[in-house]
């Protein structure tokens, strides 16, 4: 057993790094990240970070847009806490050296604010169309230099170690984490006083996703197996516009393009959003993704078009340099022709339940970011609220942990047993992992996608039960690899999404079931899920 630090942080996106930097002011921190540290969803975020700082904006307006998008399930106290902390969170990022675009380079605070779906005013701070890369790079450079932070890349968390699993007396609590060192090819037990989960989302559970390959729901699955409560896993957000091109894997076309006047058209060139919502192309994401799905089914086309050709070419190239050059690589000049787009799984609004301090109901386990369900997003996340949520809850969790740490110290000093490999052998059956992985992602897309039905959910349920049995058997008989760890986690996520979706007998926000097409007041509650022990 190793004890690398007081606190182990799993994940190296905005929430993990922000939490680590704040906590490391007083304590030792070890960040465990399964590939290179920059490979996080944060790094891919194009749009930006929402904060009510514009002269025509207010906390009330930001809160109202968030609550409206959330379709009845936002926790209003959480929404108010987050929007009110918006300006100070932006200040913290600026103090660390993050740069956001300004209207006038000479003015300190005159930020250029973008607009995205569901926002009735401009409030999205951005760095061109590569905001996440700017934030990730800045935070990471601080973390790499920090004397109290150890950064372990190519280390993949396998499972949380709990007192209950080791048969220790008292309330079940987290006492460490098993970590797979990919280079050394071995699993080690890390003992620590607390674990901070910042592992991000689970978009890889769907065949088409805007998420990077790391998004396999590891944190959610580990927390579930350890006994923490999760909620609202049925609310998977599909981003309306990902590039449709055979060679473009997971490339998002930011909603900010529609914020600057981009229009969705079908392949016959007809704009179709006006019949769906008063905000037309800037309606909340669930509405836009469903409208596209309807259009695809109606016309039989395999994509729709996003048209911004009516704007000046110089403006487009300056405002969206990454998208412009990426599309050009695929032979699409967006200043001259519309971009072919399709919806893809983008963001999991459900996750590990935390309170306003980022504490889960499993003692010594804290969490922030996409891995959580804090009550901010409700049934549908408002665009660009997630980076803000990551900062606000990372800060809150760090402060809460600071108060708790003295009492956590004495609890668990007995060594944790080493990982038991048993009779596991090297697998020569990698094809089984690929087959199971593809199968899950395909039926999740077809049966548990943008439009669901009870029959499709039942089919998905039968399939995932079978696959989970197979994967469990495989898991204990063969030596671990990252692919196998991720497959086991993905199967768990699929099970949780299907389970939550089957429980919700109505349509609300991101969950649309043709058998129950309307929202019901009596169902306006979270779907809570916890492992039965
Ligand atoms: C986008 O740029 O469209 C994505 C922003 C977000 O998901 O919040």
């Amino acid at each position: 057993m190793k004890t690398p630090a007081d606190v182990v942080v799993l994940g190296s996106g905005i929430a993990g790094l922000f939490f680590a930097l704040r906590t490391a002011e007083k304590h030792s921190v070890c960040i465990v990240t399964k590939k290179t540290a920059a490979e996080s969803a944060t790094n891919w975020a194009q749009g930006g970070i929402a904060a009510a700082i514009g002269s025509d904006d207010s906390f009330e307006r930001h809160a109202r847009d968030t609550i409206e998008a959330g379709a009845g399930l936002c926790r209003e106290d959480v929404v108010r806490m987050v929007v009110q902390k918006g300006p100070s969170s932006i200040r913290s990022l600026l103090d660390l050296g993050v740069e956001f675009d300004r209207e006038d380079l000479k003015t300190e605070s005159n930020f250029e604010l973008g607009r995205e779906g569901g926002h009735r005013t401009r409030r999205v701070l951005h760095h061109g169309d590569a905001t996440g890369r700017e934030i990730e790079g800045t935070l990471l450079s601080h973390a790499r230099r920090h004397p109290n932070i150890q950064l372990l890349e190519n280390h993949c968390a396998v499972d949380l170690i709990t007192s209950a699993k080791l048969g220790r007396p008292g309330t079940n609590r987290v006492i460490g984490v098993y970590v797979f060192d990919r280079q050394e090819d071995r699993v080690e037990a890390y003992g620590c006083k607390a674990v901070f989960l910042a592992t991000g989302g689970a978009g890889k559970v769907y065949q088409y996703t805007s998420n990077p390959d790391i998004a396999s729901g590891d944190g959610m699955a580990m927390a579930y197996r350890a006994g923490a409560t999760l909620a609202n896993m049925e609310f998977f957000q599909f981003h309306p516009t990902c590039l449709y091109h055979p060679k473009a894997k997971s490339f998002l076309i930011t909603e900010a393009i529609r914020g600057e006047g981009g229009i969705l058209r079908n392949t016959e060139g007809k704009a179709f959003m006006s019949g769906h919502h008063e905000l037309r192309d800037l309606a909340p994401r669930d509405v836009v993704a469903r409208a596209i799905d309807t259009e695809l089914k109606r016309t039989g086309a395999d994509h729709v078009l996003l048209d911004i050709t009516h704007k000046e070419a110089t403006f487009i190239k300056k405002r969206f340099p990454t998208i412009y050059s990426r599309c050009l690589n695929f032979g699409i000049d967006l200043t001259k022709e519309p971009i072919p787009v399709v919806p893809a799984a983008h963001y999991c609004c459900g996750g590990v339940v935390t309170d306003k301090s980022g504490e889960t109901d499993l003692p010594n386990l804290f969490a922030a970011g996409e891995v959580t369900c804090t009550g901010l997003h409700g049934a549908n996340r408002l665009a660009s609220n997630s980076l803000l949520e990551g900062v606000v809850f990372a800060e809150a969790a760090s402060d809460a942990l600071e108060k708790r740490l003295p009492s956590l110290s004495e609890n668990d000093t007995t060594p944790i047993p080493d990982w038991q490999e048993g009779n596991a052998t090297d697998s020569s059956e990698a094809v089984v992992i690929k087959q199971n992985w593809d199968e899950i992602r395909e039926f999740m897309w077809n049966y548990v996608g943008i439009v669901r039905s009870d029959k499709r959910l039942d089919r998905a349920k039968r399939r995932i039960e079978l696959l989970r049995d197979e994967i469990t058997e495989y898991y204990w008989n063969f030596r671990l690899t990252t692919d196998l760890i991720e497959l086991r986690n993905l199967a768990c996520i699929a099970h949780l999404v299907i389970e939550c979706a089957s429980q919700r007998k109505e349509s609300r926000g991101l969950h649309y079931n043709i058998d129950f097409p309307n929202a019901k007041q009596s169902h306006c509650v979270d779907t809570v899920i916890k492992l039965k022990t």
Side-chain angles (χ1 to χ4, degrees), residues 34 213 216 218 437 482-490:
K34 68 181 171 180
D213 286 343
S216 47
D218 304 343
W437 183 293
T482 315
D483 285 349
L484 186 49
I485 295 168
E486 289 180 338
L487 173 66
R488 177 183 180 231
N489 291 335
L490 271 186

Side-chain angles (χ1 to χ4, degrees), residues 46-47 116 239 252-256 285 346 381 383-386:
Q46 293 178 356
E116 292 177 43
H239 194 289
L252 188 75
I253 305 293
T254 178
E255 209 161 67
R285 272 186 199 163
H346 182 60
R381 177 183 65 101
S384 287
N385 263 355
S386 42

Side-chain angles (χ1 to χ4, degrees), residues 15-299:
L17 293 175
F18 199 88
F19 172 90
L21 289 170
R22 196 170 170 94
T23 307
E25 285 168 17
K26 297 205 181 131
H27 307 280
S28 59
V29 175
C30 173
I31 303 176
V32 170
T33 189
K34 68 181 171 180
K35 289 196 176 162
T36 58
E39 276 183 78
S40 64
T42 299
N43 204 36
W44 286 44
Q46 293 178 356
I49 175 163
I53 60 164
S55 54
D56 61 342
D57 205 0
S58 66
F59 294 146
E60 194 47 44
R61 285 178 186 197
H62 189 180
R64 213 185 309 142
D65 288 349
T66 303
I67 290 166
E68 192 179 317
L73 282 185
C74 292
R75 273 187 52 194
E76 287 202 26
D77 56 333
V78 173
V79 174
R80 287 184 206 289
M81 173 184 107
V82 174
V83 302
Q84 281 168 19
K85 291 204 167 193
S88 63
S89 300
I90 298 297
R91 186 76 261 158
S92 303
L93 292 174
L94 291 168
D95 290 346
L96 286 164
V98 174
E99 290 188 0
F100 296 111
D101 290 358
R102 296 168 200 264
E103 298 277 4
D104 170 0
L105 290 179
K106 290 190 225 84
T107 337
E108 247 286 283
S109 58
N110 197 5
F111 293 106
E112 188 184 285
L113 299 174
R115 213 180 141 194
E116 292 177 43
H119 292 272
R120 287 177 196 271
T121 185
R122 289 185 172 264
R123 66 167 69 95
V124 181
L125 290 105
H126 60 92
H127 182 98
D129 59 355
T131 314
R133 200 163 62 212
E134 168 69 11
I135 295 176
E136 180 74 25
T138 307
L139 298 187
L140 200 49
S141 70
H142 285 282
R144 285 196 195 281
R145 291 195 307 263
H146 203 294
N148 270 352
I149 297 179
Q150 185 187 3
L151 181 60
L152 295 177
E153 299 181 299
N154 291 309
H155 282 64
C156 180
V158 180
D159 258 321
L160 297 169
I161 305 169
T162 58
S163 56
K165 274 189 209 157
L166 298 186
R168 295 193 182 167
T171 320
N172 186 27
R173 61 202 178 273
V174 170
I175 55 175
V177 54
Y178 284 117
V179 174
F180 176 56
D181 178 339
R182 299 176 67 189
Q183 260 139 14
E184 297 295 323
D185 198 16
R186 75 164 180 253
V187 178
E188 279 190 292
Y190 290 5
C192 56
K193 293 172 187 164
V195 171
F196 181 71
L197 273 186
T199 44
K204 282 281 154 184
V205 78
Y206 284 100
Q207 192 170 10
Y208 304 107
T209 175
S210 64
N211 291 184
D213 286 343
I214 46 121
S216 47
D218 304 343
M220 297 165 188
M222 282 188 284
Y224 177 71
R225 288 192 293 266
T229 300
L230 279 78
N232 290 352
M233 293 296 288
E234 70 275 37
F235 297 120
F236 226 105
Q237 185 171 68
F238 292 81
H239 194 289
T241 58
C242 274
L243 181 60
Y244 177 77
H245 188 280
K247 296 213 171 105
K249 189 181 160 212
S250 317
F251 189 65
L252 188 75
I253 305 293
T254 178
E255 209 161 67
I257 291 204
R258 278 176 282 133
E260 298 299 344
I263 297 167
L264 284 164
R265 301 184 188 281
N266 62 24
T267 42
E268 289 136 26
K270 185 173 178 300
F272 56 84
M273 276 310 299
S274 56
H276 293 276
H277 197 276
E278 47 156 344
L279 290 173
R280 297 197 303 264
D281 296 89
L282 279 179
R285 272 186 199 163
D286 56 327
V287 177
V288 184
R290 262 198 311 279
I292 296 177
D293 191 69
T294 308
E295 204 60 27
L296 295 179
K297 291 197 170 108
R298 192 186 66 76
T299 60

Side-chain angles (χ1 to χ4, degrees), residues 7-9 13-24 29 195-196 198 366 368 390 393-399 401:
V7 184
V8 172
V9 173
I14 190 168
L17 293 175
F18 199 88
F19 172 90
L21 289 170
R22 196 170 170 94
T23 307
V29 175
V195 171
F196 181 71
F366 295 74
F393 276 87
E395 185 178 15
S398 181
D399 294 350
L401 180 71

